[in-house]
Amino acid sequence: LPAGAEPNPTFPALGIGMDSCVIPLRHGGLSLVQTTDFFYPLVEDPYMMGRIACANVLSDLYAMGITECDNMLMLLSVSQSMTEEEREKITPLMIKGFRDAAEEGGTAVTGGQTVVNPWIIVGGVATVVCQPNEFIMPDSAVVGDVLVLTKPLGTQVAVNAHQWLDNPERWNKINMVVSREEVELAYQEAMFNMATLNRTAAGLMHTFNAHAATDITGFGILGHSQNLAKQQRNEVSFVIHNLPIIAKMAAISKASGRFGLLQGTSAETSGGLLICLPREQAARFCSEIKSSKYGEGHQAWIVGIVEKGNRTARIIDKPRVIEVLPRGATATALVPDNSNAASEPGS
């Protein structure tokens, strides 16, 4: 806020700590909403990596219920250890993936920065100027609200397990609980989910009167739930009962002794939105997002509740794991019969 200015409830501001900054502008009751994100490659396909990077940047706007983006910049570093031929093949594909995802989100990349670096890095900046009714401040959860998640967990486990297919020492730790085919299917599912925009969920946040939301990325579902809980104006806490997880990834997490997937600390990339919805709206939200009118692949599950508390979040001792079947997998090939509830919102 300008020096000496009082906070204005009509034009809320949001600074460091949440998904996007919201800055009230000097002109006409508008706010600037902006976010940036970048990371290292985690899938083998450079085009898909570009799409995932763009989806990940836009997701921070979508977590505010914002569906439009006015402008994007792309940040790219090319590895100095790549040959000239590798650079000429890989770089245009990453840029094309990023641009295509931006176009799907109704925006465009108008600039950015490219450098040479020891590692490949890809990311960007998303900017939009909004009226107050276009975004949902992440601070209004009330006791009795329901927590809904719009993508399954387990992306990091899936991409790591895929890398371990070529590492006998690591593979031998998990090959008793998962087959090579199951890892391939999980990897494809994770890649598809990471590249899927959270734009549909952002639009439905308005339809179903969402009270707060965040996206699930590097700190895992527990870390981001705790961060969201701290932002709440009311004295509430979040309790998570259900964990929708890409099929077999929970078993890999246990067998490998890594990740902390069932504890909610496993990092996700370009994960789903975690949304606080009024109890009477949550099941309808989950049903609506699966409608064919929004295209293929959107999912949602009820994962927890909002109760009275001191702005914390926790996962119950024995959460229900919902095994989410990869597309292209048959139920019998992957998961016991009792887990075909994956497509239904848990309660």
Side-chain angles (χ1 to χ4, degrees):
L1 290 170
E6 291 294 314
N8 183 341
T10 315
F11 304 116
L14 191 65
I16 295 166
M18 282 308 294
D19 297 304
S20 301
C21 64
V22 178
I23 311 296
L25 296 177
R26 298 184 301 278
H27 313 290
L30 298 171
S31 293
L32 175 76
V33 184
Q34 195 165 51
T35 182
T36 185
D37 219 323
F38 57 86
F39 48 62
Y40 307 108
L42 69 169
V43 298
E44 291 169 1
D45 182 329
Y47 174 80
M48 289 301 289
M49 194 59 240
R51 285 198 80 108
I52 290 165
C54 185
N56 195 56
V57 174
L58 286 169
S59 187
D60 287 333
L61 294 185
Y62 298 147
M64 305 284 300
I66 294 167
T67 57
E68 304 304 320
C69 174
D70 290 331
N71 184 53
M72 291 196 80
L73 304 175
M74 184 173 182
L75 304 172
L76 185 61
S77 88
V78 181
S79 171
Q80 61 202 25
S81 63
M82 292 162 72
T83 66
E84 194 64 32
E85 185 186 12
E86 285 170 336
R87 285 184 200 177
E88 286 178 4
K89 282 186 175 172
I90 289 167
T91 310
L93 285 168
M94 283 201 293
I95 292 170
K96 180 169 172 32
F98 196 97
R99 279 196 167 147
D100 285 357
E103 190 177 321
E104 187 188 325
T107 187
V109 181
T110 62
Q113 172 78 323
T114 305
V115 297
V116 178
N117 194 56
W119 311 280
I120 296 174
I121 297 175
V122 58
V125 181
T127 306
V128 61
V129 175
C130 288
Q131 293 180 322
N133 66 340
E134 291 181 271
F135 59 88
I136 296 169
M137 291 295 281
D139 61 3
S140 302
V142 298
V143 173
D145 278 356
V146 168
L147 301 172
V148 166
L149 181 67
T150 66
K151 288 183 187 178
L153 306 169
T155 53
Q156 172 134 27
V157 182
V159 298
N160 276 268
H162 189 255
Q163 290 168 6
W164 295 351
L165 291 173
D166 300 319
N167 182 332
E169 186 186 342
R170 291 275 168 80
W171 176 246
N172 288 340
K173 287 192 173 166
I174 63 170
N175 66 0
M176 296 297 287
V177 298
V178 68
S179 70
R180 297 180 83 87
E181 183 198 5
E182 287 166 344
V183 168
E184 285 286 355
L185 284 167
Y187 171 75
Q188 295 294 332
E189 179 70 10
M191 189 160 61
F192 180 88
N193 284 329
M194 290 187 288
T196 299
L197 302 184
N198 283 323
R199 193 181 187 192
T200 299
L204 293 177
M205 282 170 61
H206 294 268
T207 309
F208 293 101
N209 192 26
H211 291 153
T214 188
D215 65 335
I216 306 303
T217 50
F219 296 108
I221 189 170
L222 182 61
H224 288 285
S225 299
Q226 289 169 336
N227 198 37
L228 185 62
K230 281 181 198 161
Q231 296 286 330
Q232 299 313 305
R233 290 180 296 175
N234 296 318
E235 291 185 352
V236 295
S237 285
F238 301 160
V239 183
I240 295 167
H241 302 96
N242 302 325
L243 296 175
I245 295 173
I246 298 170
K248 297 288 182 166
M249 297 305 102
I252 292 176
S253 180
K254 275 188 197 166
S256 68
R258 295 164 174 258
F259 306 113
L261 190 52
L262 296 178
Q263 291 72 42
T265 55
S266 182
E268 304 291 335
T269 297
S270 190
L273 300 187
L274 182 75
I275 307 170
C276 301
L277 286 161
R279 179 181 292 277
E280 65 277 9
Q281 302 278 30
R284 288 170 56 212
F285 176 100
C286 293
S287 166
E288 177 67 14
I289 201 169
K290 293 177 202 165
S291 164
S292 58
K293 66 185 167 193
Y294 303 116
E296 287 296 308
H298 294 293
Q299 305 172 86
W301 300 266
I302 293 171
V303 295
I305 58 166
V306 178
E307 61 180 29
K308 188 164 175 56
N310 55 350
R311 300 183 182 86
T312 57
R314 66 183 175 89
I315 297 174
I316 62 169
D317 284 344
K318 292 185 178 173
R320 173 184 170 222
V321 173
I322 302 170
E323 297 262 338
V324 180
L325 287 175
R327 278 150 276 228
T330 59
T332 50
L334 267 182
V335 182
D337 287 346
N338 64 355
S339 293
N340 60 10
S343 60
E344 294 301 315
S347 56

